[in-house]
Amino acid sequence: MNALERLVGNLARLPGLGKKSASRIAYYLLRADETLVRALAEDLGLLRQTIHACGVCGAYTDVDPCGICTDSHRDRSSICVVEEARDVLTIESIHEHRGLYHVLMGAISPIDGVGPDNLRIASLVERVSKGGIREVILATNPTVEGETTALYLVKALRDSGVPVSRIAFGLPVGGDLEFADKQTLARSFRGRNAF
Amino acid sequence: MGFERLRFFNFRNLKDRELFLGARQVFLVGRNGQGKTNLLEAVHLLSVGSSFREKRDAALSRDPSRTTGLFASFAAGGAAVKSLSLQFSPDHRKELRVDEKTLADRRGLLSEMLCLCFVQQDMEFIVGSPEDRRRFFDQTLVLSDLSFLDALRTYRQVLKSRNLCLRENRDDVLEVYDGQLAAQGLILQNRRAELVREFDALFGALLAEISGAEQEVRIRYRPSWEGLCTTDEVMGHLALRRERDRLMGATTSGPHRDLCSYEREGREYSHFASTGQLRLCALALRVAQARYLSERTSRKPVLLVDDVLLELDPGKKSAFLARFPSYEQAFFTFLPDEGWRSYRTPDTLVLEVEAGDFREPGELLR
């Protein structure tokens, strides 16, 4: 097996890529600009060496603690809890949350062998009980696992006395009621706000 | 118009070919074991995504080492023609497509089609296990409102996780699952109770009309959480039963333990009714279902009627046909000497079925 075949095989193992897309990428790289290919190879090599989970919030970073945790302009009294490190990037992109984050590294799912002890829940409780936190925002996914995790966190944080909120679920902005799926529509009705 | 064309390959005993239907009524006439029910099954698979008699997809392929495919063009109520396709590959992959778009889930198909069958297996709704009996009402609720399917799926997922926590003594998470089980379970319980209430009157009247009997058969729904109405009440109940649940390694109460029974004068009907009476009961259930869903969804169903007229005496047969629900298209199976000619209308296509092949009847059947 030559390098091209190995590359296609390895790319096809990545999420979201099939054999066809993998070979398209590999053939593109064969003819692409040399600097792009070198930069890509270098970044791939450095990825696991330099990027680690932040010791405080769990987001991926090359410095510890990460830039968000050390940013003095951020609101240090509010923590947004997410399932995965990539969720931090998503929420950061909307510039709505100016507080800190806490990445759980998953969600409770006994069927997949993930219990509360396998998640970064103890460190969250510790962070919150140290004081100075006025709100914990739960931004886990609207799935059974995400919901279970959120309900579990409410229980785990109860003794701290810190208010816990859950992000709202409902219709996409700019969307049309006609095209909304019924489950989302029903949920947006249950979570309606007073004008 | 319903199904206009049907094409199948490597499916059951049916010969690989295309059939042009284009009639409001399709009569499939043939001896036993020739492939009449297989054609109904193909239509059901294309409309619902599953078979009415076989749980394993692999059993549907004539040669399991090859791909099996079903294709159809379908148009209802003056709407544009849709193309439907369903393929099973030998590596157990199933692909459903509507208008060349792959559906990730059967859910998408159910919002497009309404297909109901009258088959021998329907008797299980009345005499079968509690699960079989619940299935009829759950099926009706799913077809009338897909959000019930979401609630049912969430409930099952929570139930599975809760059972695992019971077996593994994960008390810390159990309380969280109790809350979710209670909330989702009450949705199911309330919807089932509401449906049975509406259905009871509709079904009882229909059965009395078809059977000519005076005593009404009533449907009785007995929820496992009877008398519990709020999430807190159910959570209290779950907490009280927790030790018992733990011993059993499973959740022993909830909508997955609900019972439905058919009663006459307060007695379980299946204990004393004859097979013929039970068959009529199943027919009345299906007619009531078709009427209920037509009204709720403003769609006319495609009906698949398999051998059910066979066992009725002439009086009940005509009473049943007089109350036959309105439909977009109906497929009926008949034995050659069953007197099917008298049921023909100008919009009937008769197909003679023999050894998995179809042809318009020759002199013998005409």
Side-chain angles (χ1 to χ4, degrees):
Chain A
M1 201 183 267
N2 61 29
L4 179 66
E5 287 162 344
R6 277 201 306 276
L7 181 63
V8 172
N10 283 330
L11 283 173
R13 290 169 62 186
L14 301 180
L17 289 184
K19 215 149 183 139
K20 250 184 180 167
S21 316
S23 66
R24 247 176 70 196
I25 294 173
Y27 278 97
Y28 173 80
L29 291 175
L30 258 183
R31 293 202 281 171
D33 186 28
E34 179 79 19
T35 48
L36 169 76
V37 180
R38 281 202 187 285
L40 208 55
E42 199 176 324
D43 288 343
L44 279 175
L46 288 173
L47 192 68
R48 300 285 284 262
Q49 286 174 31
T50 57
I51 305 293
H52 305 279
C54 166
V56 181
C57 72
Y60 284 122
T61 171
D62 54 352
V63 287
D64 197 12
C66 70
I68 295 177
C69 286
T70 51
D71 185 344
S72 59
H73 298 295
R74 296 192 77 107
D75 175 6
R76 315 196 67 79
S77 68
S78 148
I79 296 183
C80 175
V81 181
V82 294
E83 287 180 20
E84 301 293 343
R86 61 172 182 271
D87 299 334
V88 172
L89 269 184
T90 311
I91 296 178
E92 272 301 277
S93 69
I94 55 171
H95 306 293
E96 198 64 39
H97 173 64
R98 293 300 301 152
L100 306 174
Y101 289 92
H102 193 88
V103 181
L104 296 172
M105 298 282 187
I108 297 174
S109 174
I111 291 158
D112 303 310
V114 183
D117 301 340
N118 306 105
L119 303 173
R120 298 182 68 251
I121 292 179
S123 59
L124 173 69
V125 176
E126 197 189 320
R127 265 178 97 181
V128 174
S129 50
K130 267 186 189 160
I133 305 295
R134 285 206 306 266
E135 186 184 11
V136 175
I137 305 162
L138 303 179
T140 52
N141 292 325
T143 56
V144 171
E145 293 81 12
E147 209 64 38
T148 303
T149 310
L151 290 166
Y152 182 85
L153 290 177
V154 171
K155 205 169 66 121
L157 294 168
R158 198 173 288 153
D159 290 345
S160 72
V162 174
V164 178
S165 60
R166 180 90 171 104
I167 54 165
F169 301 102
L171 296 167
V173 177
D176 199 320
L177 282 187
E178 193 187 348
F179 300 114
D181 72 277
K182 284 190 176 165
Q183 206 180 5
T184 307
L185 197 55
R187 197 146 182 184
S188 66
F189 258 88
R190 286 200 294 272
R192 67 188 181 273
N193 294 320
F195 246 130
Chain B
M1 177 48 70
F3 285 85
E4 292 179 346
R5 282 185 309 155
L6 261 181
R7 189 155 60 86
F8 19 76
F9 62 80
N10 193 32
F11 179 71
R12 297 272 197 192
N13 79 331
L14 302 186
K15 197 179 157 195
D16 298 354
R17 63 168 288 182
E18 185 164 36
L19 274 181
F20 292 88
L21 303 169
R24 192 162 165 268
Q25 285 191 328
V26 179
F27 285 5
L28 303 160
V29 183
R31 287 176 292 115
N32 291 328
Q34 300 304 307
K36 304 188 294 288
T37 307
N38 291 345
L39 184 101
L40 298 192
E41 193 179 30
V43 172
H44 195 266
L45 276 159
L46 281 164
S47 313
V48 183
S50 66
S51 165
F52 52 74
R53 59 175 175 174
E54 180 58 64
K55 283 191 179 129
R56 295 169 308 123
D57 291 338
L60 305 171
S61 303
R62 185 166 51 241
D63 172 2
S65 66
R66 283 169 58 213
T67 297
T68 296
L70 300 170
F71 305 89
S73 58
F74 178 87
V81 178
K82 283 187 202 334
S83 68
L84 307 167
S85 92
L86 177 64
Q87 293 194 57
F88 309 99
S89 52
D91 57 354
H92 305 296
R93 272 214 308 239
K94 184 168 168 179
E95 192 182 56
L96 255 169
R97 284 167 168 244
V98 175
D99 286 336
E100 297 307 313
K101 244 177 36 200
T102 305
L103 299 181
D105 187 343
R106 232 152 57 84
R107 198 179 190 285
L109 192 63
L110 297 178
S111 62
E112 302 270 351
M113 311 283 295
L114 180 60
C115 175
L116 304 172
C117 53
F118 292 69
V119 290
Q120 302 287 329
Q121 289 84 344
D122 290 352
M123 283 263 278
E124 295 303 311
F125 294 145
I126 295 144
V127 301
S129 66
E131 189 185 359
D132 288 327
R133 299 183 191 201
R134 283 192 303 269
R135 192 181 312 126
F136 174 78
F137 294 103
D138 286 349
Q139 189 187 81
T140 310
L141 284 164
V142 165
L143 291 171
S144 75
D145 178 2
L146 279 174
S147 69
F148 186 81
L149 181 64
D150 302 321
L152 202 59
R153 284 177 174 173
T154 307
Y155 178 81
R156 285 183 188 145
Q157 208 180 336
V158 171
L159 180 67
K160 206 168 153 188
S161 299
R162 185 180 190 270
N163 288 345
L164 202 71
C165 289
L166 282 168
R167 287 195 289 273
E168 294 180 355
N169 289 321
R170 290 187 173 172
D171 277 14
D172 51 347
V173 203
L174 215 47
E175 199 182 312
V176 170
Y177 281 124
D178 283 3
Q180 294 196 85
L181 195 78
Q184 291 299 325
L186 283 174
I187 297 176
L188 304 187
Q189 177 177 311
N190 292 337
R191 299 286 298 281
R192 283 180 184 162
E194 193 187 325
L195 177 74
V196 171
R197 245 194 329 271
E198 285 181 55
F199 229 78
D200 187 29
L202 188 60
F203 158 81
L206 265 169
L207 183 63
E209 283 168 28
I210 299 174
S211 64
E214 282 174 15
Q215 244 97 36
E216 267 195 13
V217 176
R218 308 293 304 261
I219 310 173
R220 194 164 152 220
Y221 172 53
R222 281 176 294 164
S224 161
W225 291 336
E226 189 138 40
L228 306 178
C229 305
T230 65
T231 316
D232 285 343
E233 285 173 2
V234 174
M235 283 178 75
H237 173 83
L238 289 170
L240 281 177
R241 290 179 73 109
R242 186 175 289 181
E243 278 320 304
R244 184 177 170 175
D245 285 358
R246 206 194 304 276
L247 277 174
M248 303 294 286
T251 307
T252 57
S253 72
H256 62 291
R257 292 292 182 102
D258 285 356
L259 300 172
C260 296
S261 56
Y262 296 81
E263 295 177 356
R264 201 167 90 176
E265 295 174 313
R267 287 167 65 208
E268 168 77 40
Y269 192 50
S270 64
H271 290 171
F272 61 90
S274 70
T275 311
Q277 285 175 313
L278 292 171
R279 181 91 61 218
L280 271 182
C281 226
L283 282 179
L285 263 186
R286 283 296 197 186
V287 174
Q289 185 187 39
R291 288 193 183 178
Y292 177 85
L293 290 174
S294 296
E295 200 174 299
R296 280 297 176 103
T297 63
S298 319
R299 280 186 296 180
K300 281 188 188 169
V302 169
L303 300 177
L304 310 174
V305 188
D306 192 19
D307 275 354
V308 290
L309 297 178
L310 196 60
E311 290 171 37
L312 302 181
D313 61 50
K316 294 194 173 65
K317 205 179 277 186
S318 55
F320 166 66
L321 287 172
R323 282 154 193 88
F324 201 66
S326 63
Y327 53 86
E328 187 72 42
Q329 190 177 33
F331 294 75
F332 297 85
T333 64
F334 292 104
L335 291 171
D337 51 1
E338 212 187 320
W340 50 269
R341 289 174 188 83
S342 56
Y343 304 124
R344 271 183 304 185
T345 70
D347 201 0
T348 302
L349 170 74
V350 181
L351 291 171
E352 190 184 353
V353 189
E354 199 177 342
D357 201 4
F358 302 85
R359 63 166 184 247
E360 297 218 23
E363 279 311 305
L364 195 68
L365 281 174
R366 229 182 264 277

